Amino acid sequence: QVQLVESGGGSVQAGGSLRLSCAGTGNKFSSNAIGWYRQTPGKEREMVAQISSGGSGGTNVNYADFAKERFTISRDNAKKEVYLQMNSLKEADTGVYYCVYLPLRAWTMWGQGTQITVSS
């Protein structure tokens, strides 16, 4: 049973922006770190950004080098959603984007993802 559902993908021109959403259910959402991953054509799935569970101590975030200064991950535990704001998109960002609970396990279930297509 997939626990996180991605949305917000679409087609955009290079330099444009998109905001992805990751919706969760149940009590697990707010107590777990979540990550965005992507699979681009011809490449292995890779980490894009990660965010800790949050709480009184705030949240910690981590970005892949290609995402730094262009992408921003955030979360709203009250809404059970995690977001990925992507700016200055490049053709190389084209791919399918997934969100998952962290840490990754051998049994981690991946959803359908959301397709991003960036054209020149």
Side-chain angles (χ1 to χ4, degrees):
Q1 182 179 358
V2 176
Q3 297 170 298
L4 296 173
V5 179
E6 307 90 347
S7 64
S11 297
V12 64
Q13 288 192 321
S17 299
L18 282 174
R19 188 193 194 209
L20 306 185
S21 295
C22 170
T25 59
N27 298 324
K28 180 179 179 179
F29 185 89
S30 61
S31 60
N32 281 267
I34 290 175
W36 281 100
Y37 286 72
R38 72 181 188 183
Q39 186 153 24
T40 56
K43 293 186 177 181
E44 296 289 325
R45 190 176 289 165
E46 60 184 344
M47 188 273 287
V48 178
Q50 301 171 322
I51 188 166
S52 61
S53 59
S56 59
T59 54
N60 294 315
V61 297
N62 181 44
Y63 296 96
D65 287 343
F66 65 79
K68 291 177 181 176
E69 299 183 8
R70 296 193 301 130
F71 296 178
T72 302
I73 189 171
S74 61
R75 69 188 297 160
D76 184 334
N77 285 338
K79 294 183 178 179
K80 296 184 180 177
E81 292 190 336
V82 170
Y83 310 102
L84 185 67
Q85 177 67 42
M86 304 187 296
N87 300 326
S88 303
L89 283 163
K90 306 174 182 179
E91 287 185 79
D93 295 318
T94 294
V96 181
Y97 285 68
Y98 305 87
C99 61
V100 290
Y101 285 116
L102 298 175
L104 295 180
R105 308 284 190 185
W107 54 87
T108 291
M109 296 187 67
W110 298 83
Q112 295 295 314
T114 186
Q115 173 73 46
I116 307 297
T117 302
V118 184
S119 58
S120 59

